[in-house]
């Protein structure tokens, strides 16, 4: 059984989708061991609590990044987490955090990386005028939105879209993509080869 640690800062819809896929048996061999937020009032944390999960706030305010991250790593270890899933966790991870879980930290980003890294990726893509965007689940390395790509889903931009309607359709795909990506990682059937994530030969 793989123990997931979910980190979030906001609404938590990606977390809920993962929890539901586990509950329905679509995502097997996984349990959510802890849900951690840098913000005590994150709605995602309340959703975790409601589900009877370990919901833990570790506030970042007034603390150095490395110190805050070390506390999160200690908490993940305490809950024997072996796969960390960033789900709308709006903070950069320090090198110490990344190195504590080599190729065991996943992130979801609402664009087809390497296009539109950083904040408000959906609006960036819409304003740029792309006709196709989407979402990316990738391993986290020490650079922003940069690690090897596990899975992407494309979302076409429609004529009547605004940034909001586009973001909603991307989010639907995120909810599918994240669990699929976790399933790939825990299957043990894939490996990182350079920047590629490929089925083991
Ligand atoms: C999601 O769209 C996720 O891709 C994005 O934040 C949202 C969180 O929604 N993450 C980033 O932009 C990270 N760079 P959620 O709290 O409902 O899962």
């Amino acid at each position: 059984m793989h123990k997931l640690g979910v980190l979030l800062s906001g609404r938590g819809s990606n977390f809920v989708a993962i929890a539901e896929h586990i509950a329905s048996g679509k995502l097997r061999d996984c349990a959510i061991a802890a849900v951690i937020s840098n913000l005590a009032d994150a709605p995602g944390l309340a959703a975790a609590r409601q589900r009877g999960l370990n919901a833990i706030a570790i506030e970042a305010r007034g603390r150095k990044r490395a110190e805050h991250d070390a506390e999160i790593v200690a908490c993940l270890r305490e809950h024997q987490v072996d796969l960390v899933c960033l789900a709308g966790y709006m903070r950069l991870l320090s090198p110490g955090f990344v190195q504590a879980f080599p190729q065991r930290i996943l992130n979801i980003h609402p664009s087809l990386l390497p296009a539109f890294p950083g904040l408000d990726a959906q609006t960036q893509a819409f304003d740029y005028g792309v006709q196709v965007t989407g979402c990316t689940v990738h391993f986290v390395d020490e650079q922003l939105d940069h690690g090897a790509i596990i899975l992407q889903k494309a979302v076409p931009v429609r004529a009547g879209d605004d940034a909001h309607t586009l973001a909603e359709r991307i989010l639907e795909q995120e909810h599918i993509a994240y669990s699929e990506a976790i399933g790939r990682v825990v299957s043990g059937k894939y490996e990182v080869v350079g920047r590629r994530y490929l089925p083991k030969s």
Side-chain angles (χ1 to χ4, degrees), residues 14 86-88 106-110 135-138 173-175 177-178:
N14 275 288
L86 308 184
L106 276 51
N107 181 45
I108 187 151
H109 183 76
C135 62
T136 303
V137 185
H138 64 94
Q173 294 306 308
E174 292 186 45
H175 293 164
Y178 215 156

Side-chain angles (χ1 to χ4, degrees), residues 37-41 57-61 63 68 71:
S37 181
N38 58 313
L39 300 172
D41 59 359
I58 302 180
E59 293 264 5
R61 214 170 303 139
R63 308 178 61 191
H68 178 244
E71 194 179 332

